Amino acid sequence: RQSSPVAAPVSVQGARRGLNVYDIVAAALILAWLLAFADSSRHMAAPLTAESQPISLSPWALPLDALRSTMRMLAAMVASLIFTFTFASLAAKSRRAETILVPMLDILQSVPVLGFISVTVTAFMALAPGHALGAELAAIFAIFTSQAWNMAFSFYQSLKTIPEDLREAARSLRMSAWMRFWRLEVPFAAPALIWNMMMSMSGGWFFVVAAEAMSVGNTTVTLPGVGSYIARAIQVRSLGAIGWAIAAMAIVILIYDQLLFRPLTASADWFRLEQEAGLTPSRSWALTMMRRSRLLTLGRGMFGSMIQVGFNRGRVHAPKPPGSTGGLAGSGLLGEAVWYAAVVAVVALAVWRITHFVLGHIPPAEVGHVIELGGLTLLRVVVLIALASAVWVPIGVYIGMRPALARTVQPIAQFLAAFPVNLLFPIVVSGIVVLKLDPNIWLSPLMILGTQW
């Protein structure tokens, strides 16, 4: 006991200077990510003709294909987060912007991914003629359109439901907008946002076939990846290659669940306002590694310093108390009137231009036919959402009330949500033909695979 005060500082100092096992694991993961990023960047700069070679169905080509698809998915996820933080924050904090952005978001999420591809491929290809960069950006954007909308809705809803006592605490501490965003708004929204990120990532895998094997008019672009591998396997009817692709997707989903979403889920438990009695916090070996690695602690310290700068600014420039006005009393009402008048004018102009275009170029009979088809699609969507809700909401409640079961079901649900439904097309169509069923009815259940998760 008497010698420990002298010996302990030496041992602790030595432990701090040496690398531990967590530093080694973190360094290996960082190096692997840098190599993957460098490989993806190299392929982006390659000529497009070199990237559009026929896809090999050899199982040995799948690891590299899976890596490139994963990098596209992560790039789209980063873009979706940036879009979520900016778009949803503006919609939640500005009543004027909310009147435009929320309906726009609702419309955009209803547009099929193939609809975005048909419009954007040519534009992105024009950014880098003759190079794979344009095609890569088009693929990333297509995946982005399958991820961003529900994430933005989740973050918007969380910002609208922050308790007033937390907002008052932030005002009392004189937090700047930057500090309030990272210390209050993002942590409060984190649990719901992380779960939506999981489903968004699965939705990206769902549409990766369309994103990596794009065909618009006479333009056909095929990028190496799991999606194009699956498209090629379906084209040549190779069940063995489809099996290898499913196995590769299962491994990739397991890896990003362990390295990305499981640590995020475990971290989000710290931000829940209400904890269930007896609830066991989520555990993640990767989160433990991140917290005990000094290499990653350095990065967290730099990010914390950025936030602290915002905190210091907030103390110098304190926000105005609620209810204070900086101008004339009637300026707010006049501004609202001008704003809504401008919105109505823009909407009226858009409706007039669309009507003029439709009536001038499309026969009325075809317009009526399209409306009829849209009504049938709407009917299918409503019926299938009702069925999915009736079946899966009670099951979701049952699983959610049992955290141990939820941790087991989570990776299974992620894999099933990511399963490309077009792999089932040959089987379903064969069954409909053999049993002589009505395709207008029996093809509809395929849509439930995209709604139930």
Side-chain angles (χ1 to χ4, degrees):
R1 287 178 177 271
Q2 292 179 352
S3 61
S4 60
V6 178
V10 176
S11 60
V12 171
Q13 188 176 9
R16 289 179 177 176
R17 289 179 178 176
L19 292 176
N20 55 35
V21 65
Y22 301 105
D23 291 321
I24 297 175
V25 174
L29 292 175
I30 293 174
L31 179 60
W33 183 85
L34 290 176
L35 290 176
F37 180 79
D39 179 75
S40 300
S41 302
R42 177 175 62 87
H43 284 286
M44 282 188 176
L48 184 58
T49 54
E51 293 294 292
S52 299
Q53 299 296 325
I55 300 298
S56 171
L57 294 183
S58 170
W60 301 108
L62 267 175
L64 184 58
D65 289 344
L67 176 63
R68 298 189 64 181
S69 294
T70 302
M71 294 303 293
R72 294 187 188 107
M73 298 282 290
L74 291 177
M77 179 60 66
V78 172
S80 298
L81 276 176
I82 296 174
F83 172 83
T84 295
F85 287 156
T86 54
F87 194 96
S89 297
L90 183 59
K93 298 177 182 180
S94 173
R95 186 171 55 184
R96 298 177 181 176
E98 184 180 23
T99 58
I100 297 178
L101 298 183
V102 174
M104 182 187 302
L105 190 63
D106 199 15
I107 294 173
L108 289 174
Q109 75 162 349
S110 303
V111 178
V113 174
L114 294 178
F116 287 107
I117 291 178
S118 62
V119 176
T120 59
V121 169
T122 306
F124 280 111
M125 296 287 289
L127 295 177
H131 290 80
L133 177 61
E136 292 282 356
L137 292 177
I140 292 172
F141 181 79
I143 299 172
F144 163 85
T145 58
S146 66
Q147 295 179 346
W149 319 129
N150 63 319
M151 291 171 55
F153 266 123
S154 171
F155 195 68
Y156 164 79
Q157 177 64 18
S158 296
L159 294 185
K160 297 291 286 187
T161 57
I162 294 178
E164 186 57 34
D165 56 346
L166 294 182
R167 297 183 186 274
E168 183 61 32
R171 286 192 292 265
S172 300
L173 293 174
R174 295 186 175 184
M175 289 186 178
S176 65
W178 174 258
M179 183 73 174
R180 187 167 59 251
F181 180 79
W182 291 110
R183 290 294 192 185
L184 171 61
E185 295 167 359
V186 171
F188 181 83
L193 180 60
I194 289 171
W195 282 100
N196 276 276
M197 288 172 59
M198 292 183 193
M199 291 299 99
S200 293
M201 182 68 82
S202 297
W205 284 109
F206 196 83
F207 291 106
V208 73
V209 175
E212 293 180 348
M214 297 172 287
S215 180
V216 181
N218 297 325
T219 303
T220 300
V221 179
T222 302
L223 296 174
V226 174
S228 55
Y229 186 98
I230 293 174
R232 178 62 177 170
I234 294 175
Q235 182 181 7
V236 300
R237 301 177 183 178
S238 174
L239 295 180
I242 291 176
W244 283 113
I246 294 174
M249 288 183 60
I251 295 173
V252 171
I253 291 171
L254 178 63
I255 290 174
Y256 74 64
D257 174 71
Q258 291 295 315
L259 296 182
L260 179 62
F261 290 125
R262 193 62 63 92
L264 289 175
T265 304
S267 300
D269 287 342
W270 291 91
F271 303 133
R272 298 184 186 276
L273 292 181
E274 299 178 359
Q275 295 284 352
E276 289 184 35
L279 178 64
T280 303
S282 302
R283 297 182 179 275
S284 168
W285 66 268
L287 181 62
T288 302
M289 178 269 297
M290 295 174 188
R291 287 176 173 170
R292 297 184 181 180
S293 169
R294 287 188 298 275
L295 294 176
L296 299 180
T297 301
L298 178 62
R300 293 199 306 270
M302 296 173 60
F303 182 73
S305 300
M306 291 169 47
I307 298 179
Q308 191 65 31
V309 170
F311 180 69
N312 293 334
R313 290 180 179 177
R315 287 190 176 277
V316 177
H317 303 286
K320 296 179 181 180
S324 62
T325 59
L328 298 176
S331 60
L333 183 60
L334 179 60
E336 292 286 328
V338 172
W339 170 257
Y340 286 112
V343 171
V344 171
V346 171
V347 171
L349 177 61
V351 171
W352 178 78
R353 294 286 297 177
I354 292 173
T355 304
H356 181 267
F357 173 80
V358 170
L359 296 180
H361 297 81
I362 303 175
E366 186 173 352
V367 174
H369 182 58
V370 170
I371 294 176
E372 179 184 356
L373 295 178
L376 292 175
T377 301
L378 174 63
L379 179 62
R380 290 191 181 99
V381 171
V382 171
V383 170
L384 292 173
I385 288 179
L387 290 175
S389 301
V391 173
W392 288 103
V393 168
I395 295 176
V397 172
Y398 179 84
I399 295 173
M401 298 296 291
R402 293 159 178 79
L405 179 61
R407 286 192 291 272
T408 303
V409 171
Q410 172 190 326
I412 299 175
Q414 280 185 253
F415 173 74
L416 294 177
F419 188 86
V421 68
N422 47 8
L423 293 180
L424 301 178
F425 286 172
I427 301 174
V428 175
V429 171
S430 299
I432 291 175
V433 172
V434 171
L435 299 177
K436 298 180 179 180
L437 302 175
D438 185 357
N440 290 324
I441 297 176
W442 293 101
L443 284 177
S444 299
L446 292 174
M447 297 171 60
I448 207 169
L449 294 177
T451 62
Q452 61 188 5
W453 306 113

